[in-house]
């Protein structure tokens, strides 16, 4: 993705090539959250707002300037950043929060997103298991706050040209998530996902997915842990998050997967977000 020309810093635009983070600002970093723009729409806006409010609460902070009135202030700043950077076909925004002198400050950084809509990838992804570090269950493991350290470490191991995506295991060697995404395995009309109680990250896209599963008469369950044997035995596999949408997994080791049901899910997913 190509970066936008301007970064919004506490309501003021600064040319991206002039923006610098001071040592104080670096030390004051709290967290960042991403949101995607599809033309002038912000899919998953309300869900993203709730995650931001939760993370601020975890840090014992609030920021009504952006979060009150249903996030009207945040939406306005995102719209300004979208217009200033002229990224009308597709963009991803990173909203970063810092605590400086007991005051919450923010930046909004825009990047161009090549796809204008939530489209299913025609070229399937190949996956591998990342088990060099196992992710434990904790009070933060379902949030990006408790998952990013594992994702960041894994990115440095994603060097195999055969693998496009990595699957993470918990301390019991069960599959719990993909890199920045939830994983779903499909067999017939049955879909299985990983449970947060076992350390799985919970992406904000899941509520919509559960609605889609019901519309398609697909039975969803998190009651059984997902094993490597389950991955090898699956008919279809997909990963999902609120930025990339649905990604079809085509292969693991020597196994290849279909995407018949995934295509139906993806069609409703994209239509639901832009209606």
């Amino acid at each position: 993705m190509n970066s936008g020309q301007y970064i919004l810093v506490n309501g003021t635009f600064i040319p991206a090539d002039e923006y610098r983070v001071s040592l104080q600002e670096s030390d004051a970093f709290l967290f960042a959250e991403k949101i995607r723009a599809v033309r002038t729409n912000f899919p998953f806006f309300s869900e993203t707002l709730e995650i931001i409010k939760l993370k601020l609460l975890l840090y014992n902070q609030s920021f009504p300037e952006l979060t009150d009135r249903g996030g009207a202030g945040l939406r306005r700043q995102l719209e300004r950043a979208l217009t200033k950077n002229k990224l009308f076909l597709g963009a991803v925004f990173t909203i970063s929060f810092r605590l400086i002198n007991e005051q919450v400050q923010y930046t909004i950084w825009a990047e161009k997103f090549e796809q204008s809509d939530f489209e299913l990838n025609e070229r399937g992804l190949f996956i591998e298991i990342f088990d060099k570090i196992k992710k434990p269950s904790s009070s933060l493991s379902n949030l990006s706050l408790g998952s990013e350290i594992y994702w960041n470490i894994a990115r440095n191991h994603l060097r195999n040209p055969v693998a496009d995506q990595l699957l993470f295991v918990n301390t019991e060697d069960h599959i719990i998530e993909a890199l920045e995404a939830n994983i779903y395995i499909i067999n017939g009309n049955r879909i299985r996902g990983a449970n947060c109680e076992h350390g799985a990250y919970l992406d904000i896209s899941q509520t919509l997915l559960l609605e889609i599963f019901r519309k398609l008469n697909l039975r969803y369950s998190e009651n059984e842990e997902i094993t490597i044997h389950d991955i090898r035995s699956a008919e279809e596999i997909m990963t999902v998050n609120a930025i990339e949408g649905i990604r079809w997994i085509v292969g693991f080791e020597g196994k290849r997967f279909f995407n018949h049901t995934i295509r139906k899910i993806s069609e409703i997913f994209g239509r639901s977000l832009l209606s």
Side-chain angles (χ1 to χ4, degrees):
M1 291 186 287
N2 298 322
S3 299
Q5 294 183 331
Y6 296 92
I7 296 177
L8 188 61
V9 182
N10 299 318
T12 300
F13 285 108
I14 297 177
D17 57 2
E18 297 179 10
Y19 178 63
R20 301 291 184 272
V21 177
S22 68
L23 181 60
Q24 181 190 29
E25 291 172 323
S26 178
D27 290 341
F29 178 79
L30 295 178
F31 66 90
E33 196 66 36
K34 291 185 178 181
I35 186 169
R36 180 172 168 183
V38 177
R39 289 178 285 278
T40 57
N41 297 319
F42 298 99
F44 296 109
F45 178 82
S46 60
E47 293 87 348
T48 301
L49 176 65
E50 291 306 311
I51 285 292
I52 288 173
K53 291 164 67 175
L54 172 60
K55 290 181 177 180
L56 285 169
L57 180 63
L58 289 172
Y59 280 103
N60 197 30
Q61 302 297 322
S62 64
F63 198 13
E65 177 184 338
L66 293 187
T67 60
D68 277 6
R69 296 177 295 114
L74 176 60
R75 184 182 291 273
R76 171 58 181 154
Q77 299 307 329
L78 289 169
E79 290 171 344
R80 291 182 64 212
L82 183 68
T83 302
K84 185 71 172 179
N85 286 286
K86 300 179 180 179
L87 298 175
F88 300 110
L89 291 181
V92 172
F93 295 93
T94 301
I95 312 159
S96 299
F97 293 90
R98 293 177 170 83
L99 183 63
I100 300 177
N101 297 325
E102 300 303 318
Q103 290 187 330
V104 177
Q105 300 185 12
Y106 73 94
T107 61
I108 297 179
W109 173 40
E111 297 175 276
K112 180 181 179 181
F113 199 83
E114 295 303 326
Q115 295 179 348
S116 57
D117 294 307
F118 282 93
E119 302 170 353
L120 184 65
N121 53 315
E122 291 299 325
R123 175 188 171 276
L125 306 180
F126 288 85
I127 54 175
E128 285 188 350
I129 304 296
F130 180 75
D131 57 4
K132 293 178 174 60
I133 295 181
K134 300 178 182 181
K135 183 185 174 189
S137 175
S138 73
S139 58
L140 294 177
S141 57
N142 64 314
L143 299 173
S144 59
L145 284 177
S147 306
E148 285 174 338
I149 183 62
Y150 301 95
W151 298 341
N152 291 337
I153 291 172
R155 284 190 188 93
N156 288 282
H157 292 267
L158 191 58
R159 304 182 187 279
N160 188 335
V162 176
D164 304 294
Q165 175 62 285
L166 296 175
L167 301 186
F168 292 77
V169 300
N170 61 14
T171 52
E172 303 298 322
D173 287 324
H174 297 134
I175 308 296
I176 52 171
E177 65 198 47
L179 184 60
E180 293 191 83
N182 292 151
I183 182 169
Y184 300 88
I185 63 174
I186 304 172
N187 285 294
N189 69 340
R190 184 187 181 197
I191 299 183
R192 292 171 57 193
N195 197 305
C196 293
E197 293 182 0
H198 302 145
Y201 165 67
L202 177 59
D203 190 76
I204 58 176
S205 60
Q206 190 180 89
T207 301
L208 174 58
L209 282 170
L210 296 182
E211 293 178 5
I212 295 172
F213 297 162
R214 284 191 289 269
K215 288 180 180 179
L216 293 174
N217 294 317
L218 300 170
R219 294 186 295 114
Y220 178 72
S221 172
E222 296 177 355
N223 295 332
E224 302 174 44
E225 293 89 348
I226 299 175
T227 65
I228 295 179
H229 173 74
D230 294 325
I231 297 294
R232 295 184 179 122
S233 303
E235 295 174 1
E236 302 183 38
I237 299 178
M238 65 181 182
T239 63
V240 188
N241 64 29
I243 302 299
E244 295 181 324
I246 296 173
R247 302 287 88 185
W248 163 46
I249 303 302
V250 69
F252 171 65
E253 297 176 341
K255 177 69 182 289
R256 295 297 180 266
F257 306 102
F258 300 110
N259 63 9
H260 304 308
T261 301
I262 291 173
R263 286 188 177 277
K264 296 176 184 178
I265 296 170
S266 179
E267 181 180 349
I268 301 176
F269 185 90
R271 191 168 65 240
S272 300
L273 291 172
L274 300 178
S275 60

